[in-house]
Structures are given as structure tokens and as C-alpha cells.
Amino acid sequence: MTHLTTDVLVIGAGGAGMYAAIAAARDGAAVLLLDKSQVGRGGATIMAQMTVAVALGEQEADSVQLHFQDTLSAGRGLCDEALAHLLCDNGPARIREMESWGTRWAREDGHIKQEMAPGHSVKRCCYVDFLNTGPAVAATLRRKVGECAAIRRVSNLAAVEILCADGRAIGALALSLADGQWVSIGAKAVILAAGGLTKLYARNSASANMGGEAYAMALWAGAELVDMEFVQFFPIGHLAPRLVGMDPIMWDPFRYKLGGKLLNGQFEEFIDRYGSSDFGKYNATRDVAAYAILKEVEAGRGTPHGGAYLDFRHIPEAELRGAFGPVIDRLAENGIDLAKTAVEVSPIAHYHMGGIRVNSNMETRVTGLFAAGEAVGGANGANRLSGNAITEAFVFGERAGASAALRIKQQAAPWNDTVATAALERLQGCCFNNSPGALTPISVQAELQKLMWESAGPFRTGEKLSVAAQRIAAMERQLPGLRIGNAGGFNLDMQDWFELRAMLITAAAIVKSALARNESRGAHQREDFPAPDDGLLKNQVVELKNDQLLSRWIAPARLQA
Amino acid sequence: MAMAPANKTATLHIRRGAPGAAIRYDDFQVPYEEGMSVLDALRWIREHLDSSLAIRYSCVNANACKTCMALVNGEVEYTCTAKLSPDRTIVEPLPKRPLIRDLVTDVIGDDEKL
Ligand SMILES: Cc1cc2nc3c(=O)[nH]c(=O)nc-3n(C[C@H](O)[C@H](O)[C@H](O)COP(=O)(O)OP(=O)(O)OC[C@H]3O[C@@H](n4cnc5c(N)ncnc54)[C@H](O)[C@@H]3O)c2cc1C
Ligand code: FES
């Protein structure tokens, strides 16, 4: 087995992981930065097209305190205030640092341009033209990482488990995709920056690498998760016709601006059937729109792909062109002409508020194990403001890198070969079935995505969640019988299998938490408990004990006044 | 993303195999829907027909990661933006890169390797 040694191991090279690597190297650590896909390309960061929320006060007066208040309001009382404050407080420094490293934030009249976005009380959201925020920041960080001699990068290396000895993280086991070889990595500190989990849902905006492996690795290592029931579903994500090169959540601002009509499969307006009205302006709130769309589909009145139509045909073409600008051309490249056709939309899984539980140094309860980015839970509580996620990735990444560099100076974790060998034997012992008729990991992944969408999606019931918990347990029992062909290099079956194993325990953590929260709050909506319950103004913590997921309630972390 | 029930099928003619092995082309039939990408078809094949097909991609819809290139009907293309032909589409690995297997070539820079 190949063995690598480093001071700080960073797992996942998106915005958070690359920032963490740069900060740890700046503070004197040798860093190994790995990604199962390719450095800077595999996750959500490079896909983000919209904006970054940060209290720069360049467009109009703003303050960290105001951004913090807006973040807490969106979080419906459940934010970890220390983390939320850190996000808002350090945001400006990170955005300016990114500019000094070459990110060209859109400017006007000599200042960074900031726009309004829902939930923000002032114009706070900066961006890179044109729809280029994610690719631009990813390129900046990739270049910066490349310039740091202390950072070693490895692409196509998937972390599978964190190695721990005596309650401390000492490294990880990883699978090299090109040749199927196992690699052990000895590290004095480990940072989990492997991103979110929206790939667990059939309808999502995810990349191929967002199956929630960070959460699973944290649980197996003995760390805790928090707020796992709070998955953010975007109400009108793109469904059909096929659209490539545009963020699937792009429609919302245009619907508000222009008044896009929502119609069911029979081209009828339906919002007023669900206790709300479009008031002739076609701007029903997001939660009503999401609920109404899914109910129409359930009643058999969905569109061909199982959503609703979003229709702009009543709007004059010149007005469409004015509002959509160059987006019209990107739509045309996909054969979509809004003056002639309505598009199909549906709620889609977009972001995860919950995640790995850390203190404000980004350290978990396992010494030397840190987390950063979307993988961290708590800062956004029950719902996230748009634009906060990229800021979170940078701020938490920087903090995790700095903390890890400090940790390795304080204590050294000795490498333990016995632990690594035992883990490897256990993983290699995961027996596979190669008989031609056996199910493949990818087909079970698809089944899990469908199950999560139908039973633990935007609207949940206790009954469906209970059934989902049982089905997930059954799928876990299926794991040893799944087929992994002996394909040689780039064996995706093998990668799918280990990903599925992680997806299942992450899904189980969501379902367990959603089942226990008998109320509706923020992104967690229970049809059988449609109102919020002040008795549940608490966070839920999940841990793994003797192979069982356990959950408990804690009081939300408030900032000392 | 879910596909509506389709009654048309498209054919993909895909070059398979690892270095050293004899060149082989496999034909796959997939349900065709207007506007679908070559990558949609390759992913459908992995889920429903042959999960051992090696392909490289990440972002699926965004055309941002730029990792999904292959030869589509003889032209270098991103498989996620290349439209699938309703009839027959030939997909082969990039010709100027060392082959790993099937449609996957070695595009990782030396400074990002093990
Ligand atoms: C389409 C889309 C648009 C968005 N738009 C916006 C926006 O406009 N503004 C905003 O603020 N937020 C937006 N978000 C959210 C935001 O982009 C993410 O929350 C943020 O980029 C997460 O950064 P990250 O570094 O934590 O994770 P990611 O960028 O997802 O990076 C995680 C990395 O970990 C790797 N990885 C995963 N598992 C493993 C493993 N086992 N071993 C090794 N590597 C692994 C992945 O390949 C990936 O490269 C958007 C998200 C999406 C999906
Ligand atoms: S899959 Fe990302 S560019 Fe094609």
C-alpha cells in the first residue's frame, strides 16, 4: 500500500478545502490536498453562478451586525450564533483577499457592485460577470494553491475513512481511482472539506461528487453531526427541457421580476387552490409555490416530467430580452424560446444547512479532526440566506486551515500502522458479488435517491419517514451482495460502492432527525405537524455509538452579549 | 434528472477497453428525448445497461468543471453539451491522451498525481 505523510490532510478541494490548504501552508504546515474528482473542479463551488453575500458596505451602508441579524432571521432561531457571527465577521476580509489574489468582482463607479437578494436587508451580494462567480473563484484558488510550495495536490484520490487512534485523527485511507489501489495517509491534523449531500435526492443541483461522504466519514470517526433534517430545497428548479450551462435555480429572480405564471400539466393556474393567491402578479411565496407544485403532481396534474410549467409567454418579447439579457442566448443554445414555450420546474435539493458539528475553530470533538465549508452544520440554522454559502466556504476554510496548523504545533499525533492495517483489512473484506445478475451500486444509488426524494424531501410525514428508515436499513444489508465488476483502471463501480455506503448512513441521519422533529420550521416541513413548536427551538445532534445512530436535543448556541 | 417515458431510442457506438487490449466497439440503445446530451446517455447506460463503462464527468448540468471531454462523432467535445443524435452517435476517448479505460484518458497534470 502506498503511504503518504503530511502535517495537514485536506479532504476535498472546493472553495473550503483550497482555502484551508492555503491558510495551513501560510501558517507553516505541509499540506496534502486531495480530491476524488479534480482539484478545484469536483463540487459546488465551480458551479455557483449567482452571488456572494458579504457586508462590505461598498454599494450602500452595511455592517457585520446587520448581516448577522439577517442570517439569524433566516435561520429561524436555530443558528449556532458563534459560527454565524464568524461567517459574517470574517466575510469581508476573505472577499478582499480573494480580490488581491485576482478575483475580479464586478465593479461600478470605482467600488465593488453589490446587489439585493431575498432575505438580505441591504444590497450585499457581490459577483463576477457574467454568471461566472463560481468558475472565477475556483480559478483564483486553484492558481493560488498551485503557487504554494508547501501544498501537494492529488486528484482522483477518494478518501474513504478517517483513521483515529486514542481519540485523535491520525490520517485517512483513500482509494486511487486510476488504478484501484489503496493509499494510506498519515497526518497530524485532518480537515474534512468534502462538500454537501444534495446528490442523495433524485431532483438536485448537485455534481457527481456530492453524496455526503464528509458526514459519513465524520460519524465513523466519532464526530457528531447537527441539524441534519435541514436540507434546503429550491422551490422552482429547472426540470425540462434539457438545459446545460445554466444554474438550475436561475428562474426564481425572473419569476419575481416579470411575473412568470405557474401552471399545472393542464395549463391551469393552481396556486389559489392552496390557500394563497398569485393576486394576478404571479409572485406567490417560495414555500407556497413548492407545496402547490408537488401537490398538483401528486394529484396527477403534473407536467410530463412531473413538475409545473413556468410560463412567460404573456410577456412581450422585448421585455423578456430586456430582463433576461444574455441569458436569452444561453437558453437559445439549448433550444429554449420563452416567447414560444413554457419550461417545466420543480423543487430541487440545493444545499445542506446541517452537517459536522464543530467549535468556532472548526474542530470536531475528535482532536485533530476539523471540518470546513458546506460539510459544517450550524451557521445557517433552519434556512440559509442566498449568497452565504460561498462566504461560509472561504471563512470556514481559512479558519480550519489556521486552526489545524496551530494544532500540529501543540501536539503531535503519532502514526499507528496497526490501525491503518486493520482498517484496510476491514475495507478489503467488504465482499462483493460478481455474479452477472447481481444489482450494481449505481442502481441502488438511484433507488436511494428516489426514496429520499419521495419520503424525506421538501414535504415529509412521520409515516413516510419511518418507511424510509426501514428501506435504508434494508439497502445497507444489500451492500455486500452488490456487483463490482473486475474492470481494471477507473473502476466506477468500486467508487460507487464506497460512495453508496457513505450515502446510506448520511441518509439515515437525515431521516432519523426529520422523524424526531415533530414540527415545521424553515426548510423542514412536516405535513403532519404543519406549525412550528416553540418547545422544539433546539438543535438535534446525531452520533454513532455501537453501530447505532443516536440523536439528542441541545439548546442553540447563543453568542455571549 | 428524470426522463419522461420515451418511445424513441438512440444508438451509441462506444469504443471500449484498456491499453494493450484489442479495440472493441459496443452498441447501446437508450431512450431518446429531445435535447438530451451525450453525457445523459452515457450516465443512463451506466445505470441501466453496463455500470462498468468508464467515463469522466462531474458537474452534469453546469458545463463548469470541464472534465467530461471525449470524441463525439470524431470531434473533441464536452459530452455534457454535445447533443445526442436521435439516430447514432459515436463516442471515443480523446486521441492525444494516454488511455486509462473506455472513454477515460489521463488528463491529470503530473503535479496532481500520486
Ligand atoms: C448549482 C449550484 C449553485 C450555487 N450557487 C451559489 C451561489 O450563487 N452563491 C452561494 O453562496 N452559494 C451557492 N451554492 C452553494 C455553494 O456553491 C456551496 O455551498 C459551496 O461552494 C461549498 O463549498 P465546499 O468547498 O464546502 O464544497 P464543494 O465546492 O462542493 O467541494 C467539495 C469537494 O470535495 C470533493 N469530495 C467529495 N467527496 C470526497 C472524498 N470522499 N474524497 C475526496 N474528495 C471528495 C468533491 O469532489 C469536491 O471537489 C450553489 C450550489 C450549487 C450546487
Ligand atoms: S460535466 Fe462538467 S463540463 Fe461537462
Side-chain angles (χ1 to χ4, degrees):
Chain A
M1 183 164 52
T2 306
H3 182 70
L4 307 174
T5 309
T6 185
D7 289 340
V8 176
L9 167 64
V10 182
I11 298 172
M18 290 192 285
Y19 225 116
I22 294 165
R26 173 199 68 200
D27 293 354
V31 180
L32 179 64
L33 172 64
L34 58 86
D35 202 287
K36 70 186 289 189
S37 170
Q38 290 171 40
V39 170
R41 299 180 184 275
T45 303
I46 200 168
M47 298 161 74
Q49 287 189 345
M50 303 296 166
T51 60
V52 183
V54 61
L56 296 171
E58 295 236 348
Q59 188 78 32
E60 58 178 320
D62 194 4
S63 69
V64 166
Q65 192 58 24
L66 200 54
H67 186 188
F68 179 56
Q69 287 309 331
D70 289 346
T71 300
L72 297 190
S73 310
R76 310 282 159 91
L78 290 188
C79 292
D80 178 318
E81 293 189 3
L83 294 182
H85 195 269
L86 179 69
L87 187 164
C88 300
D89 193 31
N90 282 14
R94 297 285 77 77
I95 293 313
R96 295 197 192 285
E97 189 164 54
M98 287 295 289
E99 190 171 47
S100 77
W101 292 341
T103 300
R104 292 158 72 163
W105 303 112
R107 289 184 160 263
E108 112 191 314
D109 304 331
H111 66 80
I112 293 180
K113 205 166 155 185
Q114 295 181 280
E115 300 274 13
M116 201 67 195
H120 293 280
S121 50
V122 300
K123 293 181 177 167
R124 180 178 290 142
C125 298
C126 54
Y127 57 94
V128 180
D129 268 328
F130 167 76
L131 297 177
N132 202 36
T133 302
V137 300
T140 299
L141 289 171
R142 263 202 322 263
R143 187 172 349 98
K144 188 76 192 164
V145 159
E147 286 167 11
C148 293
I151 302 174
R152 173 162 184 206
R153 294 160 283 159
V154 185
S155 286
N156 285 165
L157 187 59
V160 173
E161 276 187 23
I162 307 296
L163 298 171
C164 295
D166 306 321
R168 297 188 50 122
I170 59 162
L173 280 185
L175 195 56
S176 162
L177 192 51
D179 56 8
Q181 296 304 305
W182 286 97
V183 175
S184 62
I185 301 155
K188 296 172 187 162
V190 178
I191 301 174
L192 274 167
L197 54 61
T198 45
K199 186 186 169 180
L200 288 175
Y201 289 89
R203 290 187 180 175
N204 65 54
S205 62
S207 80
N209 307 301
M210 289 159 67
E213 290 174 85
Y215 313 99
M217 286 190 267
L219 280 175
W220 290 323
E224 296 168 319
L225 307 182
V226 66
D227 295 344
M228 289 302 284
E229 62 273 42
F230 293 107
V231 179
Q232 186 169 56
F233 295 92
F234 203 83
I236 53 164
H238 186 81
L239 190 59
R242 197 69 181 90
L243 172 61
V244 176
M246 284 299 308
D247 193 329
I249 68 159
M250 61 165 278
W251 296 113
D252 203 47
F254 298 116
R255 180 173 75 97
Y256 277 104
K257 205 160 163 183
L258 293 168
K261 284 186 206 175
L262 284 171
L263 306 173
N264 68 15
Q266 293 148 18
F267 287 95
E268 303 160 336
E269 290 183 30
F270 58 91
I271 296 287
D272 54 6
R273 294 178 191 165
Y274 300 92
S276 179
S277 161
D278 248 355
F279 306 111
K281 290 199 209 114
Y282 312 114
N283 59 3
T285 57
R286 288 171 164 197
D287 47 339
V288 170
Y291 185 76
I293 292 170
L294 292 176
K295 285 293 153 185
E296 284 297 291
V297 174
E298 225 174 83
R301 293 190 295 268
T303 56
H305 293 81
Y309 288 113
L310 177 63
D311 191 356
F312 291 102
R313 287 176 300 175
H314 56 293
I315 297 170
E317 221 170 316
E319 207 178 311
L320 283 177
R321 160 68 60 188
F324 279 90
V327 171
I328 285 274
D329 304 322
R330 287 229 187 145
L331 294 171
E333 282 164 26
N334 284 274
I336 298 173
D337 179 353
L338 295 179
K340 298 210 174 71
T341 34
V343 297
E344 292 178 57
V345 294
S346 158
I348 55 172
H350 188 54
Y351 173 83
H352 188 41
M353 274 72 73
I356 302 168
R357 189 171 182 220
V358 294
N359 62 21
S360 40
N361 291 322
M362 303 294 131
E363 193 163 13
T364 68
R365 72 172 180 187
V366 179
T367 308
L369 180 60
F370 298 80
E374 190 168 333
V376 167
N380 298 288
N383 220 337
R384 170 187 68 109
L385 285 179
S386 69
N388 264 13
I390 301 266
T391 314
E392 169 185 73
F394 295 167
V395 170
F396 291 4
E398 193 276 341
R399 175 58 67 102
S403 305
L406 197 61
R407 167 66 66 219
I408 65 171
K409 286 176 194 155
Q410 292 162 342
Q411 286 156 292
W415 173 247
N416 185 326
D417 218 34
T418 327
V419 169
T421 316
L424 183 70
E425 271 172 22
R426 184 168 40 75
L427 291 177
Q428 283 179 326
C430 297
C431 42
F432 310 123
N433 176 352
N434 282 330
S435 62
L439 282 176
T440 58
I442 193 169
S443 65
V444 180
Q445 283 193 6
E447 194 186 333
L448 176 65
Q449 290 171 317
K450 189 161 176 285
L451 175 70
M452 289 300 284
W453 177 252
E454 286 167 0
S455 307
F459 297 96
R460 304 161 170 178
T461 65
E463 208 182 311
K464 283 191 193 166
L465 288 164
S466 301
V467 174
Q470 285 167 18
R471 292 263 314 273
I472 291 168
M475 288 183 201
E476 275 173 337
R477 289 192 295 275
Q478 277 183 310
L479 274 172
L482 301 183
R483 178 157 53 110
I484 296 189
N486 199 358
F490 226 83
N491 185 346
L492 292 179
D493 280 338
M494 178 90 121
Q495 182 153 313
D496 291 342
W497 192 91
F498 282 102
E499 184 181 62
L500 173 63
R501 169 173 170 264
M503 287 168 85
L504 285 168
I505 191 168
T506 304
I510 296 174
V511 168
K512 185 175 184 66
S513 306
L515 197 51
R517 188 174 284 282
N518 289 332
E519 65 157 356
S520 289
R521 180 185 302 276
H524 170 71
Q525 295 291 321
R526 282 279 298 264
E527 289 185 64
D528 44 355
F529 295 96
D533 171 357
D534 280 349
L536 289 178
L537 203 54
K538 298 176 193 152
N539 301 93
Q540 238 180 129
V541 172
V542 178
E543 66 181 318
L544 194 62
K545 243 192 189 143
N546 304 323
D547 285 337
Q548 293 291 317
L549 286 177
L550 304 180
S551 75
R552 66 174 198 281
W553 299 96
I554 57 162
R558 303 287 180 224
L559 211 56
Q560 303 298 327
Chain B
M1 210 137 285
M3 281 191 232
N7 34 32
K8 274 195 284 182
T9 56
T11 302
L12 285 96
H13 186 66
I14 301 178
R15 185 175 151 149
R16 305 292 301 271
I23 297 174
R24 159 178 130 235
Y25 283 82
D26 283 352
D27 278 351
F28 296 98
Q29 255 82 45
V30 306
Y32 175 77
E33 193 181 339
E34 182 83 37
M36 78 189 276
S37 69
V38 171
L39 179 61
D40 292 336
L42 297 172
R43 292 170 64 224
W44 195 91
I45 292 168
R46 281 209 67 236
E47 189 183 326
H48 297 97
L49 301 176
D50 184 354
S51 66
S52 76
L53 176 67
I55 56 178
R56 200 194 269 287
Y57 70 98
S58 172
C59 71
V60 190
N61 301 306
N63 188 227
C65 73
K66 312 294 184 192
T67 65
C68 65
M69 282 194 290
L71 274 192
V72 178
N73 295 326
E75 303 281 334
V76 175
E77 300 225 41
Y78 295 115
T79 55
C80 70
T81 51
K83 298 279 178 222
L84 188 71
S85 147
D87 304 319
R88 190 162 176 274
T89 305
I90 305 168
V91 196
E92 297 163 303
L94 293 176
K96 291 186 180 154
R97 300 280 188 169
L99 181 67
I100 296 181
R101 194 170 61 81
D102 295 347
L103 299 177
V104 175
T105 49
D106 186 357
V107 292
I108 308 290
D110 282 342
D111 50 0
E112 286 185 16
K113 284 202 181 115
L114 260 182

